[in-house]
Amino acid sequence: MKKIYITLALVAVLSSSCEDFLNTKPIDKIAQSQYFTNEEGLTQGLAGVYDPLGSASLYGESLYTKLEACTDEGFYARSGQKTEPMVYVFNPTDPTISNMWNTLYDGLNRANDLIANINLPAMDEGKRQVILGEALFLRGYYHFMLVKGFGAVPMKTSPTTTPNGTQQPATPVAEIYAQILKDMTEAEAKVGTSSAYGYSSRVSKTVVQGILSRVCLTMAGFPLNDTAKYKDALAWSKKVMDSGEHALNVTANPDPKYNTFNPSNGGSTANNAYRQIFINHVQDIYDVKESMWEIDFKGNRGDGYFETGRLGNTNGITFTGAALFNQIGYSYGFIRGTGRLFNKYGDGDLRRDWVLTTYTFNNTTGAKNPINKLAGARASEFPYGRDCGKWRREYEALLPKEKNHNPNNFPVLRYADVLLMMAESENQVNGPTVAAYNAVNQVRRRGYGLAINTVSAVADLPAGLSKGAFQTAIEDERMRELCFEGTRKSDLIRWGKFVQTMNSVGAEMSTAPTLANQQYAGFGGLNVEAKHLLYPIPSREIASNKEITQNPGW
């Protein structure tokens, strides 16, 4: 899909007002002295600030294949996997951890370079401020990813120009969050609107607001426990809702080929608008109302573009039949859902059979074999042996399909998430009000294929829930709606439930049958301890920066 391209120092030319922002060829050469001398240089620099998000160290692969692979919603189902982050057996030398650290600081340095040189060229001031706003937001977002993952780290708000600039002590967590709020709040007043852009790869005003709500909810929980931030989270989520820019997708493609394969009824014909969100991600279709911010990818590595990802390849429905690669798409099926996730869905919730596949592929014929008709011992896999089916390569639009890479976009923020953040923060501030119920019930009704503004005895949460019970309901709903989208681990940590939940699901799954490799989920869950609330500071960083110390337990 359309992508901001960069290869080392070579960056793509961007347009500030249309989809060409992402759909240009890399230019041949840019001298460093030319970067920020005109409007073109600033937009090229902005491309470079966005670019690390799509790297294999972050949304290009590792975040959903390794770093977020083992939670109570899913597990890494590769036989014999007993080391690496996907089972919580790693140390400060682990390359996945160090690559994430390096990539995040690369993004920070690029943002700081652009911000420091923002006033150099003579250009339209309105366009300059939009570029500045996006750079400020991205600086805040890179800091947010760092502080969530590593805790107190060196905060960077100016370019590193000398080797001495690498010697910097860790900044207290609260100070980093204060800077994140400052950068993002300033950005919110500068950037454009989603409807003006018409695509989801560029940060808009409501994206900033939605991420600010996420930041404030994180601050309200562990480790800061600054509960006053619930009020701020509520205000930011309401701004998104009041903007009129966004709404839940309620339309599904009527083509029968998009029906969820349900062996019990021959294929669902219900209005499963939920599945359409993820079909859009693999078909280069933007729905800016629902999918607010996506990390974009482009190409199949045979068309001259190498800014590809692996969404649906490492975490899709297993298929390795070489003769049918182009029809179905190769997938390793590394990520499977837990029985706990499967059992969270109620009867009639259409999301379950899209998120968790109901079939396996025959590698020779491509035929779909129903999972819930398995006999004998394999029937015990029914809740566990289901690959993540959220992004299905069989629906990819770009041909030919490459074995290991594709242009499928990753969603960082969806409107459904905003509604659930609003419901959670409203409940924390005012209790389970009508507004809180309405927000979560819209998400649930869509999940059941029902009209989102019509009361439903089947889909709606029970009336009269206490504040605590409503919070639990929100936690479960976030799992059902947002599973495999990179939010679960952070949610469990901020709720103060990560270690106990992982140990619990580990014990539960370590006794489950081994046919679906779920014993590795049990292994991963049981490995979790308090030190895993943070990643270790990479050993290379400890060796090069004498002012920083290692995180507890590492």
Side-chain angles (χ1 to χ4, degrees):
M1 293 183 179
K2 300 165 194 66
K3 179 70 170 66
I4 303 166
Y5 315 108
I6 183 167
T7 303
L8 300 177
L10 307 182
V11 290
V13 180
L14 305 179
S15 165
S16 62
S17 60
C18 69
E19 199 168 356
D20 287 342
F21 180 77
L22 301 171
N23 201 24
T24 56
K25 292 283 186 180
I27 63 179
D28 292 335
K29 186 175 182 180
I30 306 171
Q32 188 170 358
S33 60
Q34 295 175 297
Y35 282 168
F36 306 117
T37 58
N38 53 33
E39 179 183 339
E40 181 178 324
L42 286 188
T43 53
Q44 291 166 351
L46 182 60
V49 181
Y50 273 97
D51 190 75
L53 292 171
S55 74
S57 303
L58 299 178
Y59 293 106
E61 181 180 1
S62 287
L63 281 179
Y64 50 82
T65 302
K66 296 181 179 181
L67 299 168
E68 295 282 344
C70 188
T71 66
D72 60 337
E73 67 187 20
F75 64 99
Y76 194 83
R78 191 173 188 177
S79 177
Q81 189 68 48
K82 292 192 174 183
T83 61
E84 298 190 55
M86 49 281 247
V87 289
Y88 299 100
V89 178
F90 56 94
N91 59 46
T93 67
D94 185 271
T96 300
I97 305 302
S98 59
N99 288 342
M100 174 175 60
W101 173 280
N102 293 338
T103 302
L104 291 172
Y105 273 104
D106 182 24
L108 274 181
N109 288 329
R110 295 181 186 199
N112 285 329
D113 285 340
L114 178 57
I115 293 167
N117 291 283
I118 193 71
N119 290 316
L120 286 183
M123 60 179 291
D124 179 86
E125 190 59 30
K127 293 180 179 179
R128 187 199 315 275
Q129 291 304 309
V130 170
I131 293 171
L132 175 59
E134 291 176 66
L136 285 167
F137 171 83
L138 291 168
R139 183 170 74 180
Y141 193 72
Y142 286 123
H143 272 132
F144 182 46
M145 296 182 79
L146 278 163
V147 75
K148 278 196 311 171
F150 297 94
V153 298
M155 185 168 69
K156 300 283 189 179
T157 56
S158 60
T160 300
T161 57
T162 69
N164 291 334
T166 63
Q167 302 298 306
Q168 182 179 344
T171 307
V173 169
E175 290 184 26
I176 298 175
Y177 272 107
Q179 183 65 44
I180 293 168
L181 293 178
K182 180 178 183 296
D183 280 348
M184 291 189 177
T185 301
E186 186 176 345
E188 189 258 351
K190 297 178 182 295
V191 298
T193 63
S194 291
S195 57
Y197 292 145
Y199 52 93
S200 306
S201 57
R202 196 167 182 180
V203 170
S204 68
K205 185 179 295 291
T206 43
V207 167
V208 178
Q209 293 163 353
I211 296 297
L212 273 165
S213 184
R214 182 180 291 175
V215 169
C216 290
L217 277 177
T218 304
M219 295 176 71
F222 180 86
L224 290 180
N225 296 311
D226 182 0
T227 56
K229 288 294 184 291
Y230 281 121
K231 185 175 181 180
D232 294 335
L234 177 60
W236 287 117
S237 61
K238 282 186 172 179
K239 281 194 172 188
V240 179
M241 295 169 66
D242 292 343
S243 71
E245 289 275 302
H246 302 285
L248 294 178
N249 175 60
V250 294
T251 304
N253 191 316
D255 190 324
K257 74 178 181 180
Y258 295 119
N259 286 338
T260 303
F261 182 80
N262 186 334
S264 65
N265 66 8
S268 171
T269 57
N271 177 27
N272 193 347
Y274 179 76
R275 71 182 177 213
Q276 192 63 43
I277 300 165
F278 310 101
I279 293 174
N280 288 346
H281 292 156
V282 305
Q283 292 195 334
D284 201 13
I285 298 172
Y286 287 112
D287 174 11
V288 297
K289 287 188 172 295
E290 165 82 40
S291 197
M292 296 171 61
W293 185 25
E294 301 172 9
I295 306 302
D296 275 8
F297 298 92
K298 182 180 179 70
N300 59 15
R301 300 206 165 193
D303 55 5
Y305 296 107
F306 290 82
E307 292 293 335
T308 52
R310 301 190 68 174
L311 196 62
N313 169 255
T314 54
N315 60 344
I317 302 174
T318 305
F319 182 74
T320 58
L324 296 173
F325 279 2
N326 208 45
Q327 175 182 331
I328 295 174
Y330 194 99
S331 176
Y332 294 93
F334 286 159
I335 307 300
R336 288 183 176 154
T338 63
R340 188 172 293 193
L341 173 62
F342 179 91
N343 291 319
K344 285 290 183 184
Y345 292 99
D347 292 340
D349 192 331
L350 302 176
R351 294 174 294 186
R352 187 194 70 188
D353 287 348
W354 181 260
V355 165
L356 301 172
T357 181
T358 58
Y359 56 85
T360 61
F361 282 112
N362 181 300
N363 279 334
T364 302
T365 67
K368 296 177 178 179
N369 303 313
I371 286 177
N372 64 353
K373 288 187 177 179
L374 296 174
R378 286 181 61 82
S380 61
E381 291 188 63
F382 182 63
Y384 293 97
R386 295 171 178 259
D387 292 337
C388 169
K390 215 161 196 177
W391 297 276
R392 306 190 180 197
R393 296 202 67 191
E394 59 191 291
Y395 299 125
E396 283 179 16
L398 182 64
L399 298 175
K401 296 176 184 178
E402 204 271 345
K403 177 182 177 181
N404 289 331
H405 301 90
N406 57 47
N408 301 340
N409 284 9
F410 188 90
V412 181
L413 180 67
R414 293 196 288 112
Y415 186 60
D417 191 357
V418 173
L419 290 175
L420 295 177
M421 289 192 290
M422 180 274 174
E424 181 178 353
S425 51
E426 170 74 5
N427 181 54
Q428 292 296 330
V429 174
N430 300 311
T433 63
V434 171
Y437 264 98
N438 186 54
V440 68
N441 282 339
Q442 285 186 57
V443 175
R444 288 181 56 79
R445 291 166 191 162
R446 195 261 302 273
Y448 281 75
L450 304 173
I452 64 171
N453 293 315
T454 302
V455 173
S456 168
V458 174
D460 290 1
L461 290 179
L465 293 176
S466 66
K467 181 178 180 179
F470 193 86
Q471 173 65 27
T472 299
I474 290 295
E475 293 173 11
D476 289 345
E477 199 58 41
R478 289 185 65 81
M479 185 185 197
R480 285 184 284 260
E481 176 71 20
L482 302 172
C483 56
F484 308 115
E485 294 181 45
T487 63
R488 188 62 178 178
K489 182 180 178 183
S490 297
D491 279 348
L492 290 172
I493 290 174
R494 69 181 177 86
W495 293 328
K497 296 182 176 183
F498 178 62
V499 176
Q500 68 188 64
T501 298
M502 291 307 301
N503 291 167
S504 172
V505 78
E508 179 181 301
M509 295 189 72
S510 64
T511 61
T514 61
L515 290 172
N517 289 328
Q518 62 263 36
Q519 69 270 30
Y520 299 112
F523 179 69
L526 291 174
N527 285 334
V528 171
E529 52 187 293
K531 72 177 184 178
H532 292 109
L533 293 168
L534 295 174
Y535 296 116
I537 307 298
S539 294
R540 187 173 297 178
E541 181 67 20
I542 295 288
S544 62
N545 181 2
K546 303 304 182 183
E547 298 291 325
I548 196 171
T549 58
Q550 187 55 270
N551 281 330
W554 294 103

